[in-house]
């Protein structure tokens, strides 16, 4: 995020029914790719035809995390890195609600990395959208676990000395039931992947390689937002059939995109009910609404 | 049953149906009991990857409309601090039971401590008020866990139970009341339409009705400073308004929240103040002192926070001396000293943890104070 003037006078939008229009203009920089991802998420939600009152969004902290503040759903903007455990509690308390987690690469894989691997391992029934902008946007562009080796950030002015994670491979290795990666330019594919992820039972994961022109782009001389979009798109190679470990994520060579995983696996609740079913009264008896008291 | 098990039973009795935790001595038995009991009642036990996640998960579950709790001890309590702050800021009902052991750091995992009193008060960043209770027996673990839930649901905040290793592990008879005799308070629900609902608009008593996720209100909940709509408001005025209400809803209702048990106070010249397991050592010492003809009295703190400022202030001028008995190097004694404000001498009977206070130690301090030496 920068302090530059936000874009004003946005015309009425077909997605208004899912937008907190009173909160627009948003804080994202002009040209930021997060808006594109946000639109794709909203379009995919609309596409499901579900009752909006049965969908919730949970985010951590970061530019991406602010999505939760603009969507007109039950929405929770939690602490940095902790969106997944918060969402885990929410989902287990309300299994009938579809819970979507949106957050940045730093939030989900640096400070929240441990939560990510365990939520995937448990196969929590959550849909996780990661805006991978290759750095910490919100705090001004520091090195992240996604930052390419040698890339410049405010905390790696001579080039990052660390090798980045491959998030989609990590997600698949941890047990995600659905894994896809797209660049923010591939809007139609992205939208349909998010739709599929939403419909999927279990831990579904969609990674979006997204331009952050204000920080990552500027420090690495990548030109305008549009040039960045085109650059990532140009590097992308669609390989749906590939083993996730070969789905390379290298902005200097190739960014492999596509759907890498789409499998069935029992969720945490499936197992929990199976092991405990003999004594289980119906779910809803958990709710205070159904308990005595004043 | 032991205190940890009593805590679990109290929680279940008041309607807790979600527990997220991470094992740690001496609180593990709460998690173990929950893992056995919750499935029987249609609830969820989940062992998270750490205490940060546990605290986050109970906040999420609470917004899902289910009463939720976690339990831990020192090291885990430290990890929970950031999300306790999120619970304060977003006004999320839930309960955290800290069965204290001796610190700092890993300290004495299996031995008693009462060193987290100030951490419970100030451990998360920023300025806020908290509610913390301190049980002295398994029976009180049961009763106070119920009260902790009721306070959390009513005042909408994480309520902390500051138990200790001895109370957690001691076995005593616990009387579980009939279901109808247990008072249960559930969070206040909004009575207005979605269009008119302001999630953080408080009623006259400072408490805002709470819509749960899925109730159709499509709330936004954030740990950023927010306005009555729940939307981020990044300015000093909004900060002032929000924190004033968060602090006020506890401070202005402290008469209803604070609870002490007072023994032999009417004519007491030496007043001992204590809590948790130390209150039992103190009780013995005060009785022994009475037997020796010393006019000693005891204030047993059932609520630690908010501190019974007015009570201490009113007692101090009539007392010859006041003593705080606690298993730390002097934490609540500072608060007491502040309230006494020089009206009488104040002293500490304490140790750094690892063993309970022997009643004779407290008796010695009472005798000395009665003779006018502190
Ligand atoms: C515990 C904690 N540490 C640090 C921060 C500061 N912080 C806020 S956002 C952020 C990084 C955000 O990066 P990312 O998750 O990639 O999201 P982006 O802004 O790039 O979308 C950091 C370090 C914080 N809010 N909380
Ligand atoms: S991600 Fe980058 S471009 Fe987007 S709002 Fe944040 S700082 Fe600005
Ligand atoms: Mg980022």
């Amino acid at each position: 995020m920068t302090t530059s003037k936000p874009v004003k006078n946005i015309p009425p939008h077909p997605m208004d029914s899912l937008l907190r229009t009173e909160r627009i203009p948003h804080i994202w920089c002009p040209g930021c790719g997060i808006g594109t991802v946000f639109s794709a998420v909203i379009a995919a939600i609309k596409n499901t035809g579900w009752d909006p009152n049965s969908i919730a969004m949970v985010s951590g902290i970061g530019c991406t995390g602010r999505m939760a503040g603009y969507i007109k759903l039950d929405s929770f903007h939690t602490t940095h890195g902790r969106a997944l455990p918060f969402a885990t509690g929410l989902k287990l308390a309300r299994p009938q609600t579809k819970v979507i987690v949106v957050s940045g690469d730093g939030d989900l894989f640096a400070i929240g990395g441990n939560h990510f691997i365990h939520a995937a391992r448990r196969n929590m029934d959550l849909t996780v959208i990661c805006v991978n902008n290759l750095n910490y946007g919100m705090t001004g562009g520091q090195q992240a676990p996604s930052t390419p080796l040698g890339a410049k950030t405010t905390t790696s002015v001579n080039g990052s000395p660390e090798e980045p994670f491959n998030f989609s491979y990590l997600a698949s290795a941890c047990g995600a039931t659905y894994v896809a990666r797209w660049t923010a330019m591939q809007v139609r594919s992205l939208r349909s992947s998010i739709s599929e992820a939403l419909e999927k039972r279990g831990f579904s994961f969609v990674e979006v390689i997204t331009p952050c022109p204000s920080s990552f782009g500027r420090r690495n001389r990548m030109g305008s937002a549009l040039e960045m979009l085109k650059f990532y798109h140009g590097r992308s190679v669609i390989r749906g059939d590939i083993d996730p470990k070969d789905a390379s994520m290298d902005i200097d060579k190739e960014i492999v995109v596509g759907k890498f995983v789409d499998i069935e696996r029992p969720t945490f609740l499936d197992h929990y009910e199976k092991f405990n079913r003999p004594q289980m009264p119906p779910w809803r008896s958990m709710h205070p609404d159904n308990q005595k008291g004043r | 049953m032991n205190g940890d098990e009593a805590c679990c039973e109290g929680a279940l009795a008041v309607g807790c149906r979600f527990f997220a935790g991470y094992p740690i001595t001496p609180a593990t038995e709460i998690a173990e009991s929950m893992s056995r009991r919750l499935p029987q009642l249609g609830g969820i036990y989940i062992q998270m990857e750490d205490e940060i996640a546990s605290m986050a998960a109970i906040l999420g579950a609470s917004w899902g409309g289910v009463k939720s709790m976690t339990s831990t001890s020192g090291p885990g309590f430290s990890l929970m601090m950031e999300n306790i702050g999120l619970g304060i800021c977003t006004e999320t009902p839930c309960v955290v039971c800290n069965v204290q052991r001796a610190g700092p750091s890993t300290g004495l995992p299996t031995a008693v401590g009462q060193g987290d009193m100030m951490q419970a008060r100030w451990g998360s960043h920023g300025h806020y008020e908290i509610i913390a209770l301190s049980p002295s027996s398994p029976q009180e673990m049961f009763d106070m866990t119920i009260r902790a839930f009721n306070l959390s649901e009513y005042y909408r905040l994480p309520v902390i139970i500051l138990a200790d290793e001895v109370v957690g592990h001691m076995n005593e008879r616990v009387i579980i009341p009939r279901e109808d005799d247990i008072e249960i308070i559930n969070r206040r629900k909004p009575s207005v339409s979605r269009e008119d609902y302001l999630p953080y608009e408080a009623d006259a008593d400072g408490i805002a009705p709470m819509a749960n996720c899925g109730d159709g209100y499509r709330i936004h909940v954030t740990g950023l400073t927010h306005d009555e709509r729940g939307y981020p408001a990044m300015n000093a005025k909004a900060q002032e308004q929000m924190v004033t209400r968060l602090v006020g809803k506890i401070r202005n209702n402290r008469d209803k929240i604070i609870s002490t048990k007072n023994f032999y106070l009417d004519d007491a010249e030496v007043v001992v103040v204590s809590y948790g397991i130390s209150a039992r050592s103190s009780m013995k010492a005060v009785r022994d002192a009475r037997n020796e003809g010393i006019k000693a009295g005891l204030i047993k703190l059932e609520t630690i926070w908010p501190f019974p400022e007015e009570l201490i202030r009113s007692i101090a001028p009539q007392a010859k001396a006041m003593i705080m008995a606690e298993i730390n190097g002097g934490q609540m004694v500072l608060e007491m000293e502040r309230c006494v404000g020089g009206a009488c001498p104040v002293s500490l009977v304490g140790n750094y943890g690892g063993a309970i206070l022997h009643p004779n130690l407290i008796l010695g301090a009472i005798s000395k104070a009665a003779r006018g030496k502190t």
Side-chain angles (χ1 to χ4, degrees):
Chain A
M1 184 192 67
T2 65
T3 48
S4 66
K5 276 261 174 328
V7 189
K8 286 218 172 82
N9 300 326
I10 299 166
H13 201 274
M15 290 159 181
D16 276 2
S17 71
L18 284 179
L19 281 179
R20 296 186 191 273
T21 44
E22 68 274 32
R23 290 215 58 218
I24 308 293
H26 56 67
I27 62 149
W28 295 313
C29 307
C32 174
I34 293 174
T36 314
V37 182
F38 188 48
S39 302
V41 171
I42 290 187
I45 290 173
K46 290 212 140 176
N47 193 38
T48 63
W50 295 334
D51 172 10
N53 295 335
S54 69
I55 312 169
M57 182 178 276
V58 181
S59 76
I61 301 294
C63 296
T64 310
R66 292 301 189 98
M67 275 194 211
Y70 299 119
I71 198 155
K72 205 195 266 173
L73 294 172
D74 286 322
S75 53
F76 302 89
H77 179 232
T78 63
T79 41
H80 191 32
R82 319 305 170 192
L84 277 168
F86 185 100
T88 294
L90 181 64
K91 178 69 188 178
L92 294 177
R94 269 193 80 75
Q96 64 272 46
T97 289
K98 179 76 211 180
V99 181
I100 306 166
V101 173
V102 287
S103 238
D105 44 287
D107 188 86
L108 285 168
F109 291 98
I111 191 164
N114 197 32
H115 308 310
F116 186 92
I117 65 178
H118 288 281
R121 171 182 66 81
R122 292 184 187 108
N123 201 18
M124 288 306 311
D125 190 6
L126 303 169
T127 295
V128 183
I129 318 279
C130 173
V131 169
N132 183 354
N133 55 17
L134 309 179
N135 76 149
Y136 289 171
M138 175 63 90
T139 41
Q142 294 78 26
Q143 179 190 310
S146 52
T147 302
L149 183 67
K152 294 194 166 69
T153 69
T154 62
T155 49
S156 61
V157 286
N158 300 320
S160 168
E162 297 184 19
E163 295 195 30
F165 264 143
N166 180 334
F167 298 145
S168 287
Y169 173 35
L170 181 68
S172 72
C174 295
T177 56
Y178 184 97
V179 178
R181 175 194 291 145
W182 298 103
T183 71
M185 187 107 172
Q186 291 149 320
V187 179
R188 205 168 314 153
S189 304
L190 173 61
R191 221 186 287 149
S192 83
S193 269
I194 297 174
S195 296
E196 284 181 12
L198 289 173
E199 300 281 358
K200 190 86 196 169
R201 276 185 100 247
F203 190 89
S204 52
F205 177 70
V206 180
E207 174 183 6
V208 196
I209 311 305
T210 310
C212 164
S214 304
S215 296
F216 191 82
R218 188 159 56 88
R219 289 210 177 74
N220 291 285
R221 301 185 188 286
M222 295 180 76
S224 69
L226 188 61
E227 282 168 313
M228 282 184 89
L229 261 180
K230 286 187 176 154
F231 176 83
Y232 293 149
H233 184 241
R235 284 279 189 269
S236 70
V237 187
I238 302 179
R239 292 285 305 278
D241 52 343
I242 205 167
D243 186 325
K245 80 171 185 313
D246 300 322
S248 90
M249 172 55 220
D250 185 343
I251 61 163
D252 294 326
K253 295 200 186 81
E254 63 172 18
I255 300 174
V256 175
V257 296
K259 175 168 81 177
F260 309 130
V261 178
D262 191 353
I263 57 169
E264 301 298 325
R265 197 158 76 82
T267 65
F268 171 88
L269 270 182
D270 291 338
H271 284 309
Y272 191 88
E273 288 193 30
K274 187 169 129 223
F275 289 115
N276 297 302
R277 189 171 292 144
Q279 310 97 314
M280 293 280 283
W283 262 122
R284 304 194 119 264
S285 64
M286 290 168 46
H287 279 263
D289 301 1
N290 301 313
Q291 289 164 18
K292 73 186 184 93
R294 60 178 166 87
Chain B
M1 65 178 75
N2 72 25
D4 283 357
E5 291 158 350
C7 170
C8 165
E9 289 304 323
L12 298 177
V14 72
C16 171
R17 292 294 180 270
F18 183 89
F19 182 98
Y22 192 84
I24 186 166
T25 307
T28 303
E29 291 88 339
I30 300 179
E32 287 173 342
S33 308
M34 284 289 189
S35 76
R36 277 194 300 274
R37 296 278 286 124
L38 273 169
Q40 298 168 353
L41 299 168
I44 294 279
Y45 166 87
I46 184 167
Q47 190 163 305
M48 297 302 288
E49 49 275 15
D50 56 36
E51 290 85 348
I52 300 175
S54 304
M55 190 64 215
I58 69 167
L59 296 177
S62 181
W63 280 102
V66 175
K67 292 185 190 177
S68 54
M69 81 172 286
T70 186
S71 64
T72 190
S73 190
F77 196 50
S78 293
L79 288 184
M80 287 176 183
M81 286 302 148
E82 188 191 7
N83 283 329
I84 287 176
L86 179 64
I88 297 283
C89 187
T90 56
E91 305 189 56
T92 310
C94 62
V95 172
V96 178
C97 181
N98 174 8
V99 188
Q100 296 173 90
R101 61 196 224 183
S105 191
T106 310
L108 297 174
T110 59
V112 70
Q114 291 181 317
D116 308 345
M117 315 311 290
M118 286 296 173
Q119 186 184 20
R121 177 67 188 86
W122 297 113
S124 198
H125 52 283
H127 197 96
Y128 59 96
E129 289 281 330
I130 195 89
I131 298 179
L133 311 176
S134 176
S136 299
S137 65
Q139 181 69 55
E140 287 187 357
M141 280 289 255
F142 181 89
D143 298 339
M144 285 194 193
T145 302
I146 291 175
R147 176 143 204 260
F149 271 98
N150 285 341
L151 289 167
S152 81
E153 289 282 317
Y154 189 86
Y155 292 102
R156 287 190 60 182
L157 81 170
V159 171
I160 295 166
I161 302 171
L162 288 167
D164 57 67
E165 185 274 335
V166 175
V167 167
H169 281 164
M170 69 163 48
N171 272 284
E172 276 182 347
R173 185 213 289 265
V174 174
I175 296 168
I176 298 184
R178 284 182 34 241
E179 215 181 305
D180 292 343
D181 294 337
I182 295 175
E183 186 191 19
I184 296 181
I185 297 172
N186 292 330
R187 62 192 67 170
R188 198 177 302 170
K189 289 277 191 92
S191 52
V192 297
S193 69
R194 184 174 121 197
E195 289 66 38
D196 296 334
Y197 178 55
L198 290 171
Y200 292 98
E201 183 186 42
D203 291 346
D205 58 355
I207 320 296
M210 177 172 173
N212 295 329
C213 176
D215 283 353
Y217 288 87
R218 302 214 218 153
I219 43 175
H220 180 58
V221 175
T222 178
L224 287 168
T225 296
H226 45 264
D227 58 22
E228 291 181 333
R229 296 173 300 173
Y231 293 164
M234 300 294 95
N235 59 70
K237 186 162 160 264
Q239 169 75 5
E240 183 73 20
Q241 279 173 354
M242 183 187 80
V243 181
T244 298
R245 196 173 61 72
L246 292 181
V247 167
K249 72 178 178 180
I250 305 303
R251 285 207 68 78
N252 302 335
N253 289 301
R254 62 187 182 282
D255 292 350
K256 287 177 225 140
I257 300 168
I258 290 172
S259 155
T260 64
K261 279 216 175 94
N262 307 328
F263 302 91
Y264 315 114
L265 272 198
D266 291 347
D267 64 341
E269 290 177 346
V270 180
V271 177
V272 180
V273 181
S274 191
Y275 54 89
I277 193 61
S278 302
R280 292 175 74 161
S281 305
S282 302
M283 189 71 236
K284 168 89 170 84
V286 165
R287 290 211 170 107
D288 289 349
R290 284 270 163 183
N291 287 338
E292 290 177 15
I294 302 171
K295 288 181 177 162
L298 172 67
I299 298 174
K300 172 172 138 54
L301 305 178
E302 296 192 319
T303 44
I304 299 295
W305 306 112
F307 190 73
E309 194 161 334
E310 283 83 359
L311 174 68
I312 301 293
R313 201 158 273 153
S314 69
I315 292 289
Q318 304 149 35
K320 220 167 170 181
M322 295 186 77
I323 297 168
M324 178 66 75
E326 54 183 345
I327 304 175
N328 57 51
Q331 294 190 13
M332 298 312 292
V333 71
L334 298 175
E335 191 67 5
M336 185 161 90
E337 224 157 31
R338 180 181 74 76
C339 298
V340 167
C344 73
V346 169
S347 61
L348 166 76
V349 178
N351 67 36
Y352 292 121
I356 59 167
L357 300 173
H358 197 287
N360 286 348
L361 207 65
I362 304 168
L363 179 62
I366 295 173
S367 314
K368 219 165 109 187
R371 282 182 268 117
K373 299 179 200 150
T374 48

